[in-house]
Amino acid sequence: QVQLVESGGGLVQPGGSLRLSCAASGSIFRINFMGWSRQAPGKQREWVTGISGGSTTYADSVKGRFTISRDNAENTMSLQMNSLKPEDTAVYYCNARGLGRTLASFDSWGQGTQVTVSS
């Protein structure tokens, strides 16, 4: 079992910044991929960004404003969000995929953290 815990959400004004964190724990041999998705009220969950082997990818809607980073030694990941817009309001979910100590694959999700961008 691999558990993911997000933190850092909150209320911020348009144009402001927030930093989200995600910590993975449990039976982990190797994490191959970590990423963030979000779900706004009344909408489907959408992929935001991911990091794998040092390579990063971003949805067009957040490119240039969001930066994902990862600490491999600590199995943690961060998302720096700048120039936030009201349309960034959503519950943000951390996702990790990799191999557990039994070498079985895992695909885990966190419980989500609320980000609200509003004046």
Side-chain angles (χ1 to χ4, degrees):
Q1 290 278 9
V2 174
Q3 296 79 40
L4 302 178
V5 178
E6 302 103 333
S7 59
L11 173 64
V12 64
Q13 293 187 339
S17 298
L18 276 178
R19 186 175 182 88
L20 305 183
S21 297
C22 174
S25 63
S27 177
I28 299 171
F29 175 70
R30 184 179 68 233
I31 295 178
N32 297 322
F33 169 88
M34 295 188 83
W36 294 92
S37 296
R38 67 186 181 186
Q39 187 166 18
K43 296 188 177 181
Q44 289 189 330
R45 188 175 299 191
E46 65 172 353
W47 171 81
V48 174
T49 179
I51 183 167
S52 177
S55 297
T56 59
T57 52
Y58 299 91
D60 288 343
S61 59
V62 306
K63 201 171 294 183
R65 300 187 298 120
F66 290 11
T67 303
I68 189 173
S69 60
R70 183 183 160 185
D71 184 331
N72 292 334
E74 298 293 332
N75 286 330
T76 59
M77 172 180 62
S78 296
L79 180 64
Q80 178 65 41
M81 305 186 293
N82 298 328
S83 302
L84 283 161
K85 305 175 181 180
E87 52 263 43
D88 294 317
T89 296
V91 177
Y92 284 70
Y93 296 91
C94 171
N95 172 228
R97 299 196 290 265
L99 295 176
R101 292 199 187 104
T102 62
L103 300 186
S105 61
F106 66 84
D107 183 353
S108 296
W109 291 84
Q111 82 286 352
T113 185
Q114 177 70 47
V115 171
T116 302
V117 185
S118 175
S119 55

